[in-house]
Amino acid sequence: MDIQNQTVIPVENPINGKVLYEINDNPENVASYYKIADEVQQKIQAMSIKERIAEVDKINQYVLDHSDFILDCIIAETGKARTDAFAAEVFEVGDVIDVYKKLAPKLLKDKNIDMPVFLMGKKCKQYFEPLGTVLVITPWNFPFYQVIVPSLLSFLAGNATIAKPSEVTPLKPLWDHFFANSGFMKDAIQVVFGGKQVGAALIQQRPHKIHFTGSVKSGKIIGKLAAEQLIPVDLELGGKDASIVFDDINMERTVNGVMWGAFTNAGQNCTGIERLYVQETIYDKFVNELVNKTKKLRTSHIDRDTKSPEDCDMGTMTAPFQVAIVEEHIEDALAKGAKLLCGGITEKGSMHMLPTILENCNHTMKIASEETFGPTVAIMKFKTEAEAIALANDSIYGLGGSVWTKDLARGERVARAIKTGNFCINNHMINEANPYLPFGGTKDSGIGRFKGEEGILTFCNHKSVLIDKMSGIIEPHWYPFTNTKAQLLRNLMDSWFQKSRNYIKFAINGLKIDSIGTKEQIK
Ligand code: NAD
């Protein structure tokens, strides 16, 4: 399936290759969505936060009532194992809604802001206002979660939202059903189907904000398109997470945790473990156990015609072009001296890949330096903590990572030393299950933060407001500029900004300055 430059895009079931339906990458008429958004945004803005939460509750209820249907839709287009789809897409949506029902009223409330002493008598506040229309563009690996979560956060902040899901997994049957049955406010979130052309055309309409999740390559293009029109943009991009295993671990727990971190969602996670650094003192035992357990994972590959995703630990790959990248990385690694411990390419181009472990890897290999986004883990050995940190940081990406050790002080030392936006100690990726924690990348992994307090504030205009009384006072820094005023201001600065403040001098100059504006005003 080459989806580039095609107007009609077939959406395929990766489990059996059947075409489910088609969508059009037709960039005409995208302006009509903005017209609708402009109208509905006025209504959303006028709603209280309580009323907006009541709407979001309808999403929650829809997810509870239709979770099996949602899972069926997701699995049909992604080939995920059912538990993967449930945990990361359905359960997580409930969790996000639960948390933001508490967070949103607190965060969107006007905030009283402190002031320097020079502004005595005035008040400062910050308002958190809607931006207008937010454009959400999303990838194919978590097609429900990635669309609904930023959209509902944008809605809670008072915006109209236009969401363009990936052309690989648009979930059209799910969105059609959602809008017909959830009772959620009409047009507050519009889901627009299409590919890159539709995405680019939506950007040309100048949304008030773009929230983009996808690859580094596309992120750079979106960043440029946004910059041309000065549209604020969040870029949640790819990763190449490193996991560091020290020799003081609980072996059983760590092997299980690393195996899940590498292969959950068939490795199609921006924060999946792709690089694994194991301390040499436990290397053989650890790698042996990891390989033994991994070989026992029940994958979609086995008995593929009869096995349903219900029975799998690891589902299929979702996109043929991603399979090609994973294969290219495995072949490149093997050609450069890596040793295949399990998995590998059993049938070229098959969506049913096996969990693949490679050792003797190094950073000249694509599998250790470029995002693979598949069920592979590249293992490397290290001796010292410093060496492990240097290896983990030797990457253009900076999304997530993890360390496994009983020594929590060392765990935190490593967490601080690794240049990523997210990190776990004795776990992996699970930070994302806490909606109170912001998520985002450093380096090529992106710009901005999503979820946490930032998750709502990123969709707001942070308006700074100063409130002064309507008194008769003429401010000393207003016209005319005189030598006396300048000297008083200088005295004020000298008395206040010194290491030891001169309160008496400050008070005397303060009193004089209060009246000088009125005395020396232009008559
Ligand atoms: P992609 O960049 O190819 O596409 C993402 C979305 O952008 C799609 O909807 C696509 O249609 C749209 N798009 C692509 N080019 C565009 C253009 N020029 N103009 C407008 N829209 C355009 O990414 P993908 O292959 O769908 O997703 C996989 C990538 O997403 C991986 O790199 C993965 O790491 C990343 N990802 C990141 C996060 C995160 O939170 N950081 C989460 C999930 C996935």
Side-chain angles (χ1 to χ4, degrees):
M1 178 177 65
D2 176 14
I3 47 184
Q4 276 177 9
N5 304 324
Q6 274 190 37
T7 305
V8 176
I9 301 171
V11 178
E12 287 173 12
N13 179 330
I15 300 166
N16 53 28
K18 288 195 182 123
V19 174
L20 297 165
Y21 56 91
E22 290 174 337
I23 57 164
N24 282 308
D25 190 16
N26 181 356
E28 284 165 29
N29 302 327
V30 291
S32 62
Y33 300 107
Y34 281 86
K35 202 166 168 287
I36 295 170
D38 277 351
E39 282 162 21
V40 78
Q41 199 276 325
Q42 304 296 320
K43 294 184 198 152
I44 304 170
Q45 180 151 1
M47 288 160 75
S48 67
I49 184 65
K50 221 170 142 191
E51 288 168 322
R52 290 181 208 158
I53 287 174
E55 286 301 316
V56 168
D57 265 336
K58 294 179 190 168
I59 302 179
N60 191 44
Q61 197 54 49
Y62 176 84
V63 172
L64 287 171
D65 293 345
H66 301 280
S67 59
D68 280 327
F69 170 71
I70 297 171
L71 289 174
D72 290 342
C73 291
I74 293 171
I75 292 164
E77 295 184 26
T78 60
K80 282 175 198 261
R82 202 165 186 92
T83 305
D84 269 337
F86 177 76
E89 303 240 43
V90 171
F91 188 96
E92 270 309 293
V93 171
D95 204 20
V96 165
I97 292 175
D98 195 42
V99 165
Y100 279 95
K101 277 164 68 173
K102 287 173 228 140
L103 270 185
K106 271 197 252 170
L107 294 172
L108 297 175
K109 227 170 54 188
D110 294 353
K111 198 161 139 190
N112 290 322
I113 303 289
D114 287 346
M115 280 181 312
V117 66
F118 306 98
L119 292 178
M120 209 184 279
K122 309 179 198 314
K123 253 197 211 165
C124 282
K125 284 188 181 185
Q126 218 174 359
Y127 304 157
F128 300 94
E129 298 178 336
L131 291 164
T133 299
V134 171
L135 173 62
V136 172
I137 300 181
T138 60
W140 48 261
N141 61 328
F142 294 105
F144 181 57
Y145 176 89
Q146 299 284 6
V147 171
I148 199 72
V149 170
S151 299
L152 74 88
L153 296 181
S154 156
F155 171 77
L156 282 172
N159 302 291
T161 307
I162 297 173
K164 197 213 73 71
S166 165
E167 57 275 40
V168 182
T169 54
L171 296 183
K172 188 169 183 312
L174 167 51
W175 293 117
D176 288 348
H177 188 268
F178 171 81
F179 289 118
N181 295 285
S182 65
F184 183 71
M185 184 176 179
K186 190 170 179 316
D187 295 330
I189 298 172
Q190 299 178 79
V191 177
V192 179
F193 302 105
K196 291 175 188 173
Q197 296 186 76
V198 167
L202 286 167
I203 294 171
Q204 289 313 323
Q205 293 296 316
R206 211 203 175 286
H208 299 99
K209 165 112 197 181
I210 301 170
H211 182 83
F212 176 81
T213 309
S215 63
V216 172
K217 190 175 160 215
S218 309
K220 287 182 179 173
I221 296 171
I222 305 292
K224 267 190 207 154
L225 293 173
E228 277 162 15
Q229 300 185 81
L230 291 178
I231 304 169
V233 61
D234 294 329
L235 298 173
E236 300 281 348
L237 309 179
K240 187 79 194 168
D241 276 20
S243 192
I244 299 170
V245 177
F246 283 101
D247 61 5
D248 62 341
I249 46 161
N250 175 309
M251 182 69 69
E252 197 75 15
R253 173 182 161 77
T254 308
V255 169
N256 278 292
V258 164
M259 184 168 60
W260 176 83
F263 303 124
T264 183
N265 210 34
Q268 300 161 114
N269 305 294
C270 52
T271 52
I273 298 175
E274 297 207 354
R275 297 179 288 150
L276 182 64
Y277 302 99
V278 183
Q279 199 156 27
E280 60 173 11
T281 30
I282 54 153
Y283 183 89
D284 290 342
K285 187 168 167 28
F286 183 88
V287 171
N288 215 11
E289 295 209 9
L290 180 65
V291 171
N292 284 342
K293 276 190 196 284
T294 300
K295 282 181 177 166
K296 291 179 190 151
L297 287 178
R298 293 160 303 134
T299 68
S300 72
H301 188 273
I302 313 159
D303 200 9
R304 75 179 69 154
D305 295 328
T306 51
K307 218 165 193 64
S308 80
E310 254 82 356
D311 305 323
C312 287
D313 292 316
M314 197 186 95
T316 66
M317 292 293 287
T318 297
F321 56 79
Q322 201 63 45
V323 172
I325 293 172
V326 179
E327 287 175 347
E328 185 197 330
H329 285 197
I330 294 173
E331 281 163 357
D332 173 74
L334 293 174
K336 288 177 181 158
K339 187 174 157 202
L340 183 68
L341 298 181
C342 65
I345 307 164
T346 54
E347 190 186 335
K348 195 112 171 140
S350 169
M351 303 297 278
H352 301 263
M353 294 201 83
L354 288 174
T356 296
I357 301 179
L358 291 145
E359 68 171 352
N360 288 349
C361 297
N362 62 59
H363 288 198
T364 65
M365 299 171 183
K366 292 180 180 177
I367 204 139
S369 56
E370 296 176 16
E371 186 179 47
T372 308
F373 217 58
T376 65
V377 62
I379 309 189
M380 289 158 272
K381 219 181 257 185
F382 74 88
K383 271 195 187 126
T384 64
E385 183 179 321
E387 189 191 356
I389 291 168
L391 284 165
N393 278 336
D394 179 26
S395 173
I396 57 162
Y397 297 99
L399 198 52
S402 57
V403 62
W404 305 79
T405 174
K406 278 189 185 147
D407 179 350
L408 294 184
R410 168 161 67 184
E412 288 215 44
R413 207 162 54 230
V414 173
R416 286 181 204 284
I418 302 294
K419 295 179 181 11
T420 57
N422 318 281
F423 204 77
C424 281
I425 299 168
N426 295 323
N427 218 312
H428 193 84
M429 215 189 305
I430 201 73
N431 54 294
E432 289 176 58
N434 180 2
Y436 288 103
L437 270 179
F439 178 84
T442 61
K443 304 195 247 178
D444 274 11
S445 290
I447 295 171
R449 289 293 178 271
F450 172 52
K451 300 199 291 189
E453 297 194 354
E454 290 87 338
I456 277 229
L457 298 179
T458 190
F459 296 120
C460 294
N461 173 29
H462 300 212
K463 187 181 276 174
S464 298
V465 178
L466 180 139
I467 305 162
D468 208 346
K469 288 187 287 287
M470 183 40 77
S471 65
I473 292 173
I474 310 291
E475 300 275 353
H477 62 278
W478 292 352
Y479 298 123
F481 295 154
T482 66
N483 286 342
T484 328
K485 283 184 181 181
Q487 190 54 51
L488 279 172
L489 282 170
R490 164 66 56 156
N491 293 348
L492 207 62
M493 188 177 101
D494 288 347
S495 59
W496 194 251
F497 292 144
Q498 299 295 346
K499 245 189 203 157
S500 56
R501 291 196 165 127
N502 187 334
Y503 289 94
I504 296 174
K505 201 170 160 199
F506 176 77
I508 294 167
N509 282 294
L511 286 172
K512 284 187 191 163
I513 227 163
D514 259 358
S515 54
I516 190 111
T518 312
K519 266 192 223 151
E520 294 199 355
Q521 64 176 295
I522 295 173
K523 302 264 185 203

